Amino acid sequence: MHEKILILDFGSQVTQMIARRVRDVGVFSEVYPADVDEAFLRDQIKNKGVKGIILSGGSAESNIEAPDMEISPFVFLAGVPVLGIGYGMHTMAKHLGGEVAISGNQEFAQVHISVKGNSPLFATLSDSKSAEGHNQLDVCMNHGTQVTELPAGFMRIGFSKHCEIAAMSDEVRLFYGVQFHPEVSNTKQGKALLGRFVLDICDCAGDWNMADYADEMVERIREEVGDDQVILALSGGVDSSVAAVLIHRAIGSQLTCVFVDHGLLRLFEAKQVMDVMHENLGLNIIHVNATEQFMGHLEGVTDPEQKRKIIGREFIEIFQEEAAKLSNAKWLAQGTIYPDVIESAANKNGVAVKSHHNVGGLPDSLSMQLLEPLRDLFKDEVRKLGVALGLPEKMVYRHPFPGPGLGVRILGTVNQDYADILRRADAIFIDELRNTIDAETGKSWYDLTAQAFAVFLPVKSVGVKEGARVYEYVVSLRAVQTNDFMSARWAPLPYDLLAHVSNRIITEVAGISRVVYDISGKPPSTIEWE
């Protein structure tokens, strides 16, 4: 049994980032609602290896006077270290006799806090020195409420210009609270701080790894599925491919993969998927060519959300048809990952960014249960899992491709002509990224970007080809760098590379007269255009 950190979630959209950071230091972590009861907590600590508890931040609507979820008092009686983050710190303070109030000095930015190095939470951590000689950390503050009076037994171990108690601790009971968010990248020492809490204060060994997770998931899938048949939606992308290999390892021939060619795939994608997944990995795959079906339903549709829902609906219909041909297909497996879930969230604790065809769009008539073994993993964790499962690194570190395919990279209405133009332009872009080596790192620009693709714009631009005036379409190139896909920055591709790609596309792809480059970050933009 692995040691574990239990994360109690008050509704923050970045709670899973806490789990990710904890896993990064080699300790398994799981997220549960903050209002779990005492019996659950006792079982987790006694029988499930829990060695520490982290209380997450809250949602935008969290109110310290009338919280959405009441935490069990046993959290502070269980005998394990506890770290409260943001709203979690406020909850800790309130439960233990401190005071919390709305502040007139709100902070929603990266700020400097001064910290006491004699606390094991901050020892030796420093980004700079204050004028008074205090160690300072650059952290992400996001609060309008703060602790105004410490609970008995606590001391202040951090403060900022507008937050008198930015961090607190009870070193006897090993309780800690921080007003800022160590789980996000804007807190420079965030991973190190969480490592201090998990490894030093909670005394975890840090021996959990993705290979162990793979073994545990295999056993969980076997137990959950039993003798049933599973049908998996295989797109050929990283997520569905890793899910397929993981489930195949668990149940073997009980898994049937359905690869749907909706006419919106990248150039030669169908052949590549069948060659790798069927011929090399031995998966049972049904190849369905449904180009006419998808194109027919998408004709004239311009709204991106409607396009996504149509594509998702048609996928499900095909899967149901194929499942009906199997004698005992009771499970539909998908490569859903956590960023998909977050962006599709639409509840009191989250605002929907966009729908994903594999999240929340399943009809009531679906006669199967969902199996989503990657649902709690971020993209980089999925890649690590793929390597642990023995997938080729070239496949695992391939750029992501959305389930709706080129349907969300063709703005406005979708048709076969637009798809053909886009897939040829996209192939040229990816080819040149692979072939262009950065002198400083020695890596290709494909490897230096997390995702890159072309977007078809349904507008025409005047150009000149072979001495004659032309009036043709525009494509935009998009390339981003990111670790978790929750945020991303546009990739600073060399001008010479961009110029060469532009020239090739305009010269080799009929119908394109202009190429532009997207320099938008996420946020405020999403990575995909639709």
Side-chain angles (χ1 to χ4, degrees):
M1 179 175 63
H2 288 289
E3 298 167 331
K4 181 167 69 175
I5 296 296
L6 188 66
I7 300 169
L8 300 185
D9 181 21
F10 284 103
S12 168
Q13 267 207 335
V14 293
T15 296
Q16 286 283 342
M17 294 293 291
I18 305 172
R20 180 175 172 274
R21 300 292 183 222
V22 172
R23 294 175 190 180
D24 278 348
V25 298
V27 179
F28 186 62
S29 59
E30 287 186 318
V31 178
Y32 289 94
D35 56 356
V36 293
D37 61 20
E38 179 177 336
F40 173 85
L41 293 169
R42 285 186 180 277
D43 178 63
Q44 287 285 311
I45 292 168
K46 181 179 179 181
N47 302 315
K48 303 298 174 58
V50 168
K51 298 196 68 176
I53 297 173
I54 298 177
L55 310 179
S56 85
S59 69
E61 292 80 15
S62 294
N63 186 320
I64 196 64
E65 299 300 329
D68 293 327
M69 289 183 281
E70 284 287 352
I71 194 171
S72 169
F74 184 73
V75 167
F76 306 107
L77 301 172
V80 298
V82 181
L83 171 65
I85 295 173
Y87 185 79
M89 174 188 181
H90 304 160
T91 300
M92 175 185 288
K94 290 276 287 186
H95 270 265
L96 298 176
E99 296 292 334
V100 177
I102 296 175
S103 171
N105 294 312
Q106 301 180 354
E107 292 178 307
F108 299 96
Q110 186 183 61
V111 302
H112 299 300
I113 68 163
S114 296
V115 298
K116 291 187 176 180
N118 58 348
S119 169
L121 192 66
F122 294 133
T124 73
L125 296 183
S126 177
D127 292 316
S128 60
K129 292 282 188 180
S130 69
E132 296 78 19
H134 296 295
N135 285 345
Q136 286 188 320
L137 298 178
D138 296 331
V139 303
C140 178
M141 285 284 201
N142 184 21
H143 71 93
T145 305
Q146 57 185 261
V147 176
T148 55
E149 183 176 331
L150 290 168
F154 279 76
M155 63 180 177
R156 183 183 73 164
I157 58 172
F159 62 92
S160 71
K161 181 179 180 181
H162 296 299
C163 185
E164 186 66 22
I165 304 174
M168 64 182 192
S169 72
D170 179 334
E171 303 291 354
V172 175
R173 290 180 289 181
L174 301 181
F175 293 163
Y176 300 85
V178 294
Q179 180 65 69
F180 57 90
H181 289 269
E183 68 272 29
V184 300
S185 59
N186 282 351
T187 298
K188 294 181 180 179
Q189 303 281 352
K191 180 179 177 181
L193 185 151
L194 288 171
R196 289 286 173 78
F197 177 72
V198 169
L199 300 176
D200 298 341
I201 295 170
C202 297
D203 196 29
C204 292
D207 59 355
W208 180 80
N209 54 62
M210 199 53 72
D212 292 337
Y213 182 80
D215 292 339
E216 291 162 8
M217 285 304 301
V218 164
E219 291 304 316
R220 188 181 302 180
I221 292 167
R222 285 174 181 162
E223 181 178 347
E224 190 170 9
V225 171
D227 296 328
D228 297 339
Q229 294 286 323
V230 176
I231 187 168
L232 180 137
L234 180 66
S235 71
V238 174
D239 304 329
S240 65
S241 297
V242 172
V245 175
L246 178 64
I247 297 170
H248 184 259
R249 175 173 291 189
I251 60 174
S253 61
Q254 291 170 241
L255 171 67
T256 299
C257 299
V258 177
F259 174 62
V260 179
D261 185 347
H262 47 25
L264 298 167
L265 299 172
R266 290 172 288 199
L267 195 64
F268 306 130
E269 181 121 33
K271 184 179 186 305
Q272 291 171 358
V273 170
M274 295 302 294
D275 286 348
V276 173
M277 303 301 289
H278 177 64
E279 300 298 334
N280 296 335
L281 297 178
L283 274 67
N284 179 30
I285 303 177
I286 298 170
H287 183 187
V288 180
N289 190 335
T291 298
E292 290 187 8
Q293 177 177 337
F294 278 85
M295 289 298 176
H297 286 288
L298 289 169
E299 183 177 358
V301 178
T302 59
D303 179 76
E305 282 297 282
Q306 190 178 355
K307 287 195 291 185
R308 285 178 175 272
K309 292 182 185 301
I310 288 171
I311 292 170
R313 181 194 70 205
E314 296 307 308
F315 267 123
I316 293 299
E317 287 188 6
I318 291 171
F319 298 145
Q320 286 181 307
E321 291 173 2
E322 295 301 327
K325 300 174 185 178
L326 301 175
S327 61
N328 195 30
K330 296 182 179 179
W331 297 86
L332 171 62
Q334 299 187 138
T336 306
I337 65 172
Y338 195 66
D340 298 339
V341 177
I342 293 174
E343 289 189 335
S344 296
N347 52 48
K348 68 180 181 180
N349 294 328
V351 178
V353 177
K354 58 186 176 184
S355 65
H356 288 260
H357 78 284
N358 56 342
V359 181
L362 302 180
D364 295 335
S365 61
L366 179 66
S367 57
M368 293 173 282
Q369 300 179 70
L370 272 181
L371 181 63
E372 298 176 316
L374 311 182
R375 189 181 178 89
D376 294 326
L377 299 183
F378 287 86
K379 180 69 73 173
D380 60 321
E381 292 181 314
V382 173
R383 296 188 195 281
K384 291 176 183 176
L385 177 58
V387 172
L389 290 168
L391 281 166
E393 289 204 12
K394 184 176 181 180
M395 175 189 294
V396 171
Y397 287 94
R398 187 184 185 198
H399 287 186
F401 188 60
L406 302 182
V408 291
R409 294 178 181 175
I410 298 172
L411 303 195
T413 189
V414 175
N415 62 49
Q416 193 64 61
D417 289 341
Y418 292 173
D420 288 340
I421 290 172
L422 180 56
R423 78 177 100 247
R424 290 198 296 271
D426 184 79
I428 290 171
F429 185 30
I430 299 303
D431 181 55
E432 292 301 333
L433 288 174
R434 289 188 183 278
N435 292 334
T436 305
I437 306 299
D438 175 59
E440 183 176 342
T441 63
K443 296 182 178 180
S444 75
W445 272 100
Y446 184 86
D447 293 330
L448 292 173
T449 54
Q451 191 167 359
F453 52 90
V455 179
F456 180 89
L457 307 184
V459 295
K460 288 189 174 182
S461 169
V462 174
V464 178
K465 289 185 177 180
E466 297 180 354
R469 178 187 185 275
V470 295
Y471 193 51
E472 296 177 324
Y473 292 106
V474 180
V475 295
S476 175
L477 307 180
R478 176 77 157 144
V480 299
Q481 296 175 319
T482 179
N483 290 321
D484 52 36
F485 289 81
M486 295 301 299
S487 62
R489 57 193 175 275
W490 60 274
L493 300 181
Y495 290 156
D496 287 347
L497 169 58
L498 289 171
H500 184 55
V501 171
S502 174
N503 183 64
R504 277 197 63 190
I505 290 174
I506 293 172
T507 302
E508 299 176 27
V509 182
I512 299 295
S513 65
R514 192 175 300 271
V515 176
V516 298
Y517 186 53
D518 181 352
I519 57 170
S520 308
K522 176 186 180 180
S525 302
T526 55
I527 294 175
E528 297 286 349
W529 277 46
E530 290 191 341

